[in-house]
Amino acid sequence: MTPPLEVAEAWERVAADCSVLPAERVPLAAALGRIAAEDARSAVDLPPFDRSAMDGYAVRAADTEPPAALAIAGEVAAGEVAAGALAPGTALGVTTGAALPEGADAILRVEDARVADGRVTPAGPLAPGFHVRHRGEDVARGDVLAPAGAPLTVQAITALASAGVGAVAAHRRPVVHVLATGSELLEVGAPPEPGRIHESNRLSLRLLVEAAGADVVLHPVVPDDLAATRAAVGAALAGDVLAVSGGVSVGPHDHVKPALEACGVEAVFWRVRLKPGKPLWFGRRGETLVFGLPGNPLSTVACFLLFLGPALRRMQGQADAAPPYVPVRLAVPARPADGRTTLLTARLERAGDGVWEATPTEGQGSHLTGALAASDAFVVVPHDAGELPAGTLVDALLL
Ligand code: AMP
Ligand code: MG
């Protein structure tokens, strides 16, 4: 039996097997979190025309030297276009956002205007361009607003919508099939039964996978039986990824590895120097990646954050996707458990100096969902760290 891989090495193996999914056209409203497959460019100049930044009067700046009294030639509201050019010595009423008539080059604000007898007198002379938003001053037609490979964020989508774009090219969402094995498992919300426990992994995986931008196909729970596991795995090997929960350890009822191998899935690695999550199994069949996740709920979440989640981002085109470590400071000493990189459930609090400080929960264990619920993050204590004193900066994975 080959020794377990270190966490970083296991991630490298997974990353090496991720291929980027093809692109498709996606309406902006459905693009959040997707990765742009090509440069998304502005379709227009922004602003598209010279516009007023204020309620007031469009004028010729040269006409505003005192003692000016400009004839009011009418009004254009936002959305309207003036019938003709602004004649010298006149002013046109405008609302914020209205297009300047030809000839106008400044805006006299209402606050700076005195109106009497159909004429408007400026409080003082105006410089050309005053309170004018010039065509193209923000974005020029063809400017890249979301480069290929960048995530389509709310801010990028807002800019693209403003720039006359309705849809973008983005990489397809991965389809992840999720199944759970275990004869002891009860469905979420089912009445308790002696000797059985409530299943949570399919639900947590579904939520995590969807949050990572992928689509989920849920399969029924499979009892611990080789033939049943083999049939279920065979049916679930249909998407970009198969995530199987449970049954990857060395017990007599752990049938997932033989079932996967019988279905032609090639093993890439089994076991990682990780706690929780040591029995993680990873393999592939053709383009389908297969994760055999240890059944304990915290192992499943840990393996998602370290491997499956970043893999899904890579498949969507985020070339630098990796486990999303963030630095935190230990509030108390911590050490790795039995030579494995150890993920400790921890609460985070902002310390006086602004740094996030992590306090591990009292109980630590891959089955402790109560501790998970009370936590904000996993603190990562490297397998070779020895005892880390309080105050050490360490990586954390936010929950
Ligand atoms: P296994 O990896 O199958 O050996 O399971 C390890 C532990 O996780 C056992 O105590 C299982 O009862 C529990 N477990 C397995 N699958 C699930 C699941 N889908 N939801 C919650 N707990 C599970
Ligand atoms: Mg099991």
Side-chain angles (χ1 to χ4, degrees):
M1 203 153 61
T2 51
L5 297 182
E6 286 173 17
V7 171
E9 201 181 344
W11 162 244
E12 303 269 296
R13 299 277 180 96
V14 171
D17 275 317
C18 295
S19 8
V20 177
L21 297 172
E24 59 189 10
R25 295 296 294 172
V26 183
L28 283 190
L32 184 63
R34 301 270 207 129
I35 307 296
E38 38 185 75
D39 291 348
R41 294 170 183 277
S42 179
V44 295
D45 292 332
L46 264 189
F49 43 84
D50 291 352
R51 310 171 78 195
S52 173
M54 293 284 164
D55 291 323
Y57 298 88
V59 297
R60 293 170 179 264
D63 290 348
T64 58
E65 282 296 332
L70 307 172
I72 298 174
E75 193 205 67
V76 281
E80 297 173 351
V81 179
L86 187 73
T90 68
L92 187 69
V94 290
T95 63
T96 303
L100 264 65
E102 218 189 297
D105 62 357
I107 298 298
L108 169 63
R109 298 188 309 168
V110 164
E111 298 90 317
D112 302 329
R114 195 162 42 80
V115 177
D117 303 328
R119 292 186 169 268
V120 58
T121 300
L126 303 180
F130 199 59
H131 291 312
V132 177
R133 293 177 180 156
H134 292 281
R135 173 176 182 157
E137 73 176 24
D138 179 11
V139 172
R141 180 189 155 97
D143 277 359
V144 175
L145 295 172
L152 292 155
T153 56
V154 170
Q155 58 271 33
I157 289 171
T158 301
L160 287 163
S162 307
V165 175
V168 286
H171 293 285
R172 179 166 74 65
R173 290 162 71 92
V175 177
V176 181
H177 286 249
V178 172
L179 74 81
T181 69
S183 298
E184 75 280 26
L185 301 178
L186 289 171
E187 294 281 337
V188 172
E193 286 180 31
R196 304 188 68 191
I197 64 150
H198 283 102
E199 199 271 308
S200 61
N201 289 342
R202 281 182 312 160
L203 183 56
S204 55
L205 282 170
R206 172 191 177 164
L207 300 176
L208 289 165
V209 164
E210 287 176 347
D215 292 325
V216 176
V217 179
L218 284 185
H219 291 262
V221 171
V222 188
D224 291 317
D225 168 84
L226 180 57
T229 307
R230 194 176 155 165
V233 161
L237 272 165
D240 303 300
V241 176
L242 168 59
V244 188
S245 147
V248 283
S249 294
V250 289
H253 301 291
D254 291 332
H255 300 297
V256 170
K257 283 180 283 146
L260 288 169
E261 278 159 26
C263 290
V265 183
E266 262 178 71
V268 176
F269 66 77
W270 176 47
R271 302 191 309 154
V272 181
R273 283 176 81 170
L274 173 64
K275 185 186 174 83
K278 181 176 174 186
L280 174 69
W281 190 98
F282 176 69
R284 65 182 299 162
R285 188 179 79 172
E287 290 296 299
T288 305
L289 304 188
V290 179
F291 292 83
L293 304 165
N296 274 302
L298 277 70
S299 311
T300 294
V301 174
C303 289
F304 179 91
L305 296 175
L306 285 170
F307 305 109
L308 177 49
L312 293 175
R313 300 302 296 164
R314 289 246 168 163
M315 296 169 88
Q316 289 170 85
Q318 194 181 324
D320 62 352
Y325 298 119
V326 296
V328 301
R329 188 166 63 205
L330 284 174
V332 295
R335 57 166 42 255
D338 46 272
R340 293 188 258 164
T341 293
T342 304
L343 270 49
L344 302 171
T345 43
R347 271 182 277 272
L348 296 182
E349 238 177 322
R350 198 96 181 237
D353 58 2
V355 176
W356 288 97
E357 214 164 58
T359 307
T361 55
E362 208 165 297
Q364 294 292 335
S366 58
H367 58 300
L368 296 180
T369 45
L372 181 69
S375 295
D376 306 303
F378 280 121
V379 161
V380 183
V381 186
H383 68 92
D384 53 0
E387 165 108 0
L388 297 175
T392 308
L393 277 184
V394 292
D395 285 332
L397 295 162
L398 299 183
L399 288 164

